[in-house]
Amino acid sequence: MASVRKVLPGLLILLLLSLLPLRSSWGGEREDFSIAFGLYQDGLYQLASQRFGRFFQDYPQSSRSPQALFYKGESEFLLGRFKEAIEDYEKLLVNYPAVDLR
């Protein structure tokens, strides 16, 4: 029973996050990237990948688009979805060959 009490808050947070729209209707480019990056930092790679993918679609001309694509690839890699990660990295190299992510 004690282990259920430890896991339950995390599950509730994941449930609430999954109910949020992929694109925040109240925010813009900066907020959308911050949400995606926060999910990545919290280890919620599935949600982060979805958010970064949506960011890349919604803001293709953004200066943060290369970072979004990179972190989408990183999220896929950390989820063990290596084919998808490679596709993201290749898209990054094709679309932004001169970008320096350091």
Side-chain angles (χ1 to χ4, degrees), residues 76-94:
E76 296 292 347
F77 180 84
L78 292 167
L79 289 167
R81 298 193 302 226
F82 304 117
K83 182 179 180 245
E84 291 85 351
I86 289 169
E87 290 170 0
D88 291 332
Y89 297 141
E90 286 176 342
K91 192 183 295 185
L92 176 65
L93 292 173
V94 168

Side-chain angles (χ1 to χ4, degrees), residues 24 28-39 51-52 55 59 62-69 71:
S24 60
E29 176 183 338
R30 182 177 173 187
E31 291 82 8
D32 287 349
F33 187 88
S34 293
I35 290 169
F37 191 68
L39 291 167
R51 290 281 186 149
F52 282 125
F55 182 93
Y59 308 105
S62 170
S63 62
R64 291 186 172 124
S65 285
Q67 289 176 305
L69 201 49
Y71 282 114

Side-chain angles (χ1 to χ4, degrees), residues 44-76:
L44 301 171
Y45 303 120
Q46 175 66 39
L47 294 171
S49 175
Q50 292 171 353
R51 290 281 186 149
F52 282 125
R54 187 56 163 213
F55 182 93
F56 183 72
Q57 288 178 341
D58 290 346
Y59 308 105
Q61 301 303 319
S62 170
S63 62
R64 291 186 172 124
S65 285
Q67 289 176 305
L69 201 49
F70 173 77
Y71 282 114
K72 182 178 182 306
E74 289 291 284
S75 297
E76 296 292 347

